[in-house]
Amino acid sequence: MSLLKGNYKVKTDIKKKKLSKEDILEEKFEKAASKRLGGSMVYIKKKKINWDLKD
Amino acid sequence: MAKVLMINPMVREEDDPKHVPMGMAQLAAIAIKKGHQIQIYDHNAWRADDEQIKEVILSDNWDLIGIGGITTAYASIKKIAKMARKILPGVTISLGGGVLTSLPKEIMKWLPEIDFGFIGESYVTFPEVLEMIDAGKSDWHKINGTISRLEGGELYFSPKRELIDNLDALPYPAYDLFPVEEVYFKNSAMMYSEAGMLATRRLDINASIGCSLICRFCYHLGIAGDMRYKKDAKGKIVNVEFDQPKNYTRTIRYNSPEYVVQLAKYVEKKYNANYLYFLDENLMTMDVFSRRTWLKEICKLWKENDLVPKKRKDGTWKGLYWSGTSHATLCEPEILKTMGEHGCAHLVYGYEAFDDRILKLMGKGSTRKTNIRSFFWTLEAGIRPIPNQIIGFPTEDFDSLKMQMKAWDDLGVMVKPHFATPYPGSEWFTVYRKKIEEQYKGQGKKLGLSDDLEAFILDLGDATRVSAVISKNFNAVELIGLREMMVHRQYEKIDQYEQEWRKKHKIPEGQPSTLCGQDNKEKNLEIKAAAK
């Protein structure tokens, strides 16, 4: 899927980066979970974690 | 011919992309008709990572990178403008849309990467800019409706760009240049009606521009005749102005019913669409201005062109369901009935509140009575009314909030109200600007921004969460708490809190629950003003 749409052909066609099956599943899960937030429903957004946190 | 990359920035990150940006789609169509080379990167739809945005920016030799969007897209616009300037230091970058028009001087100061901006309507300004590029020039200051940087960095407002008269002269929006199949159709569903929920191929149209009303929270950003140019003693343009107390200007424009229905037919045929959403500010304004002929004629032609939805056994339908925005006082049962019979599935009503005093001060042109009346008229017409609600009005008190809850109970309204938000371009923003800046004091420096106002703009969302508070009676924490209790109809808890609030503010039982002036002088004055 081209990220650019126009009335002529660009020099370099830029395709939407394909996500791995794991990434697609993670994205799908996080989107579904975020719609259910509240009460005991919480989830971890893995991409926002600061893995290098020392303290 | 000019080679242009148009970029639609991301808005409402927390939500799926649901609407093709109509202004950009129309401008692209105009430019293509004039023979220019246009590419669109719809960042709101694709939401690609930085690496891919970089690839997009480098994918061709652009004469112009044109970014455009609304104020709430400011964070995304800032990021993209900075990236584009870093990657292509010599490229011309422009900015248009409501974000620039509402605060042209501030935005040009905050975003030094932008070479020039489009103020107000760009249907004529944009092709003139492209013509100038073709001529090998960059005298943006010579084109009306722009703000640009003179040598030495001074900002320059060119003369005002007049609005076009004939909207039918516009080509159809260039839907093809947006990921309609890949992204937008997947997010077709609108949870406002049964038909909306089942919509699988929805597109939007805009059949009119403007609104006759003067709601204090609303903004039209120059396309509704609401913008005036401010000049100094020497006649030099120094800024733009919008609605101010006792100073309102309006221009009402709409497409002919023939144009509207031909566009609807085109969308149905070319894209196999099954739902059309009218993004118009207020369909009923147009109906009143046309002496009640506009919507009636659209419905008639809808039928003649075989667009009235016909249900199939499998639950799908042939034709187009549609919806839009109505107004409590301007609607009438007859036209609502006709609309319902011709596929109108839902109508959004900005009821906002059910306290006549608040409605009057808001400039809404409606009352509790017309709100309730239109609600039942719409239901009787077979259309779902969508009653938008707001809390946090400047002089709203506990009585107003309880009145609102009572109406929700009476009408069976399930709602989570928006917070009153002073968007740039609205009268509220003009009136409360100092109060807004005080609330963001120090935030600009803390976040590494130009000033505190920029921090407010970055914080602005779609009013589902609190940003700047303009209530004189409640702070942000109180508004969030009150909204939560209102949604769950916790009348007793609100009563309990009112007692605490009265003690804290030394307002005895029996006195109006307001902090507006000593002995409620301010409130009384407002009541008198509203009565007049």
Side-chain angles (χ1 to χ4, degrees), chain A residues 9-36:
Chain A
K9 207 165 178 255
V10 277
K11 282 187 176 173
T12 320
D13 186 23
I14 312 296
K15 300 274 187 205
K16 168 87 171 153
K17 202 191 281 176
K18 277 192 179 167
L19 295 175
S20 66
K21 275 185 181 173
E22 290 77 18
D23 279 345
I24 292 172
L25 187 63
E26 182 181 319
E27 209 170 76
K28 201 176 163 185
F29 162 71
E30 290 185 358
K31 203 181 254 186
S34 71
K35 286 177 182 165
R36 300 284 298 275

Side-chain angles (χ1 to χ4, degrees), chain B residues 199-212:
Chain B
T200 51
R201 299 180 72 82
R202 173 183 52 81
L203 278 177
D204 305 332
I205 70 166
N206 207 54
S208 64
I209 305 177
C211 178
S212 55

